[in-house]
Amino acid sequence: AVEHLRVNQSAQLGKRDIRTGLLNLSGLQEFVDHEFERSKRHSTELCLVVLDLDFLRDVNNGYGHQVGDLAISSVAKQISAITRTIDGTARIGGEEFVVVLPDTDLESAVAVAERIRVGIQSLVIETAKGTPRITISAGVALRQMNETYSELFDRADTALYESKRLGRNRISLADEFVETFQANQINTN
């Protein structure tokens, strides 16, 4: 029984990002598989938020990589503090994060994304060289009927890049279809 528990704990740790404690790609895929099936079975809404730290390279260059790492950890804590326990939160790359929001309509997903954006903008990381400004850009998409995770991610990611193009530290919405994407900027100022 003890060995089974150790194996199970090890398997769960293998689904977590070491730096942040959020899901890693493997853990995210398992979560997505489960929630997409549940959403389909119960005809419930599901939204995806893709977030990326703005100008992390400048933080690393100006304050050092340890501060950049601290920024990533602080952002992860903020995302975890704002999201529900039923939400899937993951770090999928250096400074890129995903939040899967089961049983969530688009308006509520935008509200969550905005709370995350404001919370991260409010983070204070004091260093000997000053306090870096930490902000994120985000893209939000509502899953369409029979849409795959890859398709949903592409729409949210495209909206994220529209947020960056529009000046960063903002949220953009994905259109319903990738082919006709036009991000709808949300005024966050």
Side-chain angles (χ1 to χ4, degrees):
V2 172
E3 184 60 29
H4 176 72
L5 183 59
R6 275 192 208 137
V7 169
N8 191 27
Q9 287 175 334
S10 179
Q12 290 303 313
L13 288 174
K15 296 174 187 170
R16 297 277 171 188
D17 175 64
I18 294 168
R19 176 168 325 246
T20 64
L22 299 179
L23 294 171
N24 60 21
L25 285 172
S26 175
L28 176 63
Q29 188 59 57
E30 186 176 300
F31 183 85
V32 164
D33 290 345
H34 174 77
E35 288 302 327
F36 268 53
E37 182 58 36
R38 196 176 71 72
S39 174
K40 182 178 175 183
R41 187 172 53 250
H42 298 292
S43 299
T44 58
E45 293 180 307
L46 182 142
C47 287
L48 183 70
V49 181
V50 179
L51 312 117
D52 192 68
L53 270 74
D54 297 326
F55 304 115
L56 183 64
R57 184 180 336 136
D58 293 348
V59 172
N60 285 334
N61 291 340
Y63 298 90
H65 287 277
Q66 288 180 327
V67 174
D69 289 347
L70 181 58
I72 289 169
S73 297
S74 298
V75 165
K77 285 179 187 168
Q78 191 72 310
I79 292 169
S80 292
I82 291 169
T83 55
R84 305 168 298 182
T85 56
I86 67 165
D87 299 332
T89 56
R91 178 177 175 218
I92 61 168
E95 65 254 19
E96 194 167 22
F97 299 85
V98 165
V99 180
V100 180
L101 300 166
D103 301 321
T104 304
D105 63 22
L106 189 58
E107 184 178 336
S108 298
V110 169
V112 170
E114 178 61 8
R115 284 195 307 271
I116 291 170
R117 187 195 67 76
V118 169
I120 290 168
Q121 179 180 286
S122 302
L123 287 173
V124 176
I125 301 172
E126 294 185 20
T127 74
K129 295 181 180 180
T131 305
R133 182 169 184 246
I134 308 296
T135 61
I136 56 108
S137 295
V140 180
L142 171 68
R143 181 180 184 218
Q144 304 301 310
M145 188 183 307
N146 297 321
E147 185 174 41
T148 67
Y149 173 72
S150 180
E151 291 165 337
L152 178 61
F153 180 87
D154 286 347
R155 290 191 309 108
D157 198 46
T158 301
L160 161 67
Y161 281 97
E162 184 66 4
S163 290
K164 289 188 174 288
R165 187 188 71 75
L166 292 170
R168 301 176 194 266
N169 192 25
R170 68 185 68 233
I171 301 161
S172 294
L173 297 179
D175 212 8
E176 288 187 24
F177 303 102
V178 175
E179 299 83 29
T180 61
F181 173 81
Q182 292 179 343
N184 301 308
Q185 176 186 352
I186 297 172
N187 185 358
T188 57
N189 297 329

